[in-house]
Amino acid sequence: MEPLILALGWVGLYAPLALGAVGSMVGCARAGSAACGALLEVEGGYGRYIGVAAMPSSQTIYGIVVTMALRRELNLDNSPGIFGLGVLAGLALMLSAFAQGSACAASINVSKSKLEVFGISLAPAALVEGFAVFAFVFALVLAAGIPK
Amino acid sequence: MAKQYITLVASLPYLPPFEKAERSPITRLRLEQRLHILEPEDARQLALAEALVSWRLSLAKPKTDKEMVLRCRAALQEINQPALHEFVEFRIDQQTILAALRQRNDQFESSFLEQVTGASRWAGFIASHWDSPDFQLATVYPWIPEARSYIEANDASGLDRLMMRIIWQRLSRIAEGNRFGFEAVFAFVFKWDILQAWLARDAEKAKSRFQELIKEVKHDS
């Protein structure tokens, strides 16, 4: 039983980074695909579309920070806590990156035909980012309560 | 998970409502270039549907109802993408209802429906409600009374506009169901087709085309 608990601790430790990275890959790919399509249709301002496509990469950064905050010598006391916190934070980051990728793709799709809505069309993506930040910050706060 | 065509959809321009459009935002050539991104099977299904229910059917369209029914049956068997299949069925039903309204307006009998029974699910129902003003289908298709009034008034332009609007709205709803999927792609193609037809309206050309058709019919008989 003890090795299993310790293994779960390792899973929890790496989950925020791994799941956040998976989310960023998918999210950036979705938004990036839309940006590539939009490049065929617009005459200029390509940078803004590629910039928007990079938005879902922030979840990987949050994942790195959470993983670093959870990092400690694993034992039977702290492994269950690290598992719960790490996996849930990772899932939240991954799903937020998926959703943000879709929101960014929609934003790129509408703003290519109507540039004046570019800013406001990013609001849904920014809202999704806000929820990712909540998950990130509270993971850090709660990580402080896990025994060393 | 449904297939996604994010790059393709994002590469397509915004289509304004056809009644407000002044020009087409994309040419057929460029549209076809973009459609090369489609997977071969999806492209094939789209081509089948286009040959059957696009607004401007090609000149190689079937000459008889029977031929048309056979073509419809064969295509419907091959079109297995659910949203596209449903749209094609909707267009066939719509065309059957319009044909029935026209035939009845011209004092013909319902016998032609026997030939199209295999294509439209409503053919038998319409035949059995031939004397009802809207074939008792107005609850399913609320546009029938308005279409009937245009046919009775010989207002072909008004009827065209109504049909285009109904198809446009349906395609918009289909595209909203999967904004970056095959649904959005085929909805764009059929909407573009309507837009082209609307922009190409020309009384003089229509007159000469009508005369060509008359000659063609005379030649055939």
Side-chain angles (χ1 to χ4, degrees):
Chain A
M1 193 66 183
E2 285 177 21
L4 176 67
I5 293 171
L6 289 174
L8 290 177
W10 280 106
V11 169
L13 187 59
Y14 197 60
L17 173 51
L19 295 178
V22 169
S24 293
M25 290 171 210
V26 176
C28 286
R30 276 184 192 167
S33 300
C36 289
L39 297 187
L40 286 173
E41 195 50 32
V42 296
E43 298 296 332
Y46 304 130
R48 75 167 66 90
Y49 298 111
I50 301 300
V52 171
M55 272 182 83
S57 54
S58 57
Q59 280 79 352
T60 302
I61 298 167
Y62 302 152
I64 292 171
V65 177
V66 175
T67 292
M68 296 309 288
L70 290 174
R71 192 176 169 211
R72 65 206 65 200
E73 195 170 327
L74 294 173
N75 55 46
L76 292 179
D77 290 333
N78 60 21
S79 287
I82 288 174
F83 174 75
L85 203 60
V87 168
L88 289 176
L91 280 175
L93 293 175
M94 182 178 73
L95 294 175
S96 73
F98 288 171
Q100 199 174 40
S102 300
C104 289
S107 164
I108 290 165
N109 194 30
V110 295
S111 56
K112 72 168 194 284
S113 329
K114 201 174 177 184
L115 191 56
E116 57 269 33
V117 300
F118 180 70
I120 194 75
S121 70
L122 281 175
L127 278 172
V128 175
E129 182 77 27
F131 292 116
V133 170
F134 285 146
F136 164 62
V137 170
F138 280 89
L140 294 183
V141 171
L142 293 173
I146 295 176
K148 289 284 179 189
Chain B
M1 191 177 163
K3 216 177 298 165
Q4 296 284 290
Y5 286 110
I6 299 175
T7 307
L8 173 56
V9 174
S11 75
L12 299 173
Y14 168 71
L15 279 185
F18 70 92
E19 286 162 297
K20 292 180 185 166
E22 290 172 0
R23 62 185 177 85
S24 175
I26 187 169
T27 62
R28 179 78 208 184
L29 178 67
R30 184 157 283 192
L31 178 59
E32 294 207 342
Q33 283 172 346
R34 304 269 162 93
L35 291 176
H36 280 148
I37 297 176
L38 280 176
E39 289 193 6
E41 180 55 23
D42 286 343
R44 194 181 70 85
Q45 299 227 344
L46 180 58
L48 278 171
E50 271 196 286
L52 205 62
V53 295
S54 65
W55 189 265
R56 298 170 303 160
L57 282 177
S58 69
L59 292 175
K61 64 185 175 188
K63 296 240 187 295
T64 64
D65 287 343
K66 202 174 175 184
E67 209 181 315
M68 187 69 192
V69 169
L70 288 175
R71 192 188 271 194
C72 286
R73 277 187 187 162
L76 280 171
Q77 274 179 352
E78 290 199 48
I79 298 172
N80 49 30
Q81 204 286 335
L84 185 59
H85 188 96
E86 199 186 319
F87 176 70
V88 171
E89 275 190 332
F90 166 77
R91 288 283 288 127
I92 292 172
D93 291 343
Q94 192 185 43
Q95 285 167 349
T96 305
I97 292 165
L98 282 181
L101 286 170
R102 285 197 180 102
Q103 294 271 340
R104 195 182 55 188
N105 189 55
D106 294 338
Q107 314 289 325
F108 286 109
E109 294 298 316
S110 63
S111 54
F112 87 100
L113 287 162
E114 287 165 18
Q115 292 184 49
V116 299
T117 301
S120 172
R121 59 194 145 169
W122 295 113
F125 188 88
I126 293 170
S128 57
H129 296 88
W130 189 250
D131 296 324
S132 169
D134 304 322
F135 309 122
Q136 293 194 6
L137 282 173
T139 47
V140 187
Y141 300 105
W143 47 266
I144 293 180
E146 197 179 342
R148 182 165 53 86
S149 69
Y150 285 127
I151 289 172
E152 286 168 359
N154 280 327
D155 183 356
S157 171
L159 183 65
D160 263 7
R161 185 192 294 253
L162 173 68
M163 290 301 111
M164 284 176 169
R165 203 180 296 149
I166 288 161
I167 300 166
W168 191 278
Q169 285 166 355
R170 192 169 187 103
L171 289 167
S172 298
R173 279 201 301 274
I174 290 170
E176 278 166 18
N178 190 358
R179 285 181 185 278
F180 288 105
F182 181 57
E183 292 85 346
V185 177
F186 82 72
F188 182 93
V189 172
F190 284 109
K191 280 168 104 173
W192 178 87
D193 180 55
I194 289 175
L195 183 66
Q196 285 295 110
W198 180 259
L199 293 172
R201 286 178 318 146
D202 184 321
E204 282 306 308
K205 276 188 189 167
K207 199 174 164 184
S208 66
R209 173 78 185 128
F210 181 70
Q211 282 163 350
E212 271 174 37
L213 287 171
I214 296 283
K215 276 183 200 163
E216 201 178 306
V217 171
K218 279 182 179 170
H219 183 73
D220 279 357
S221 59

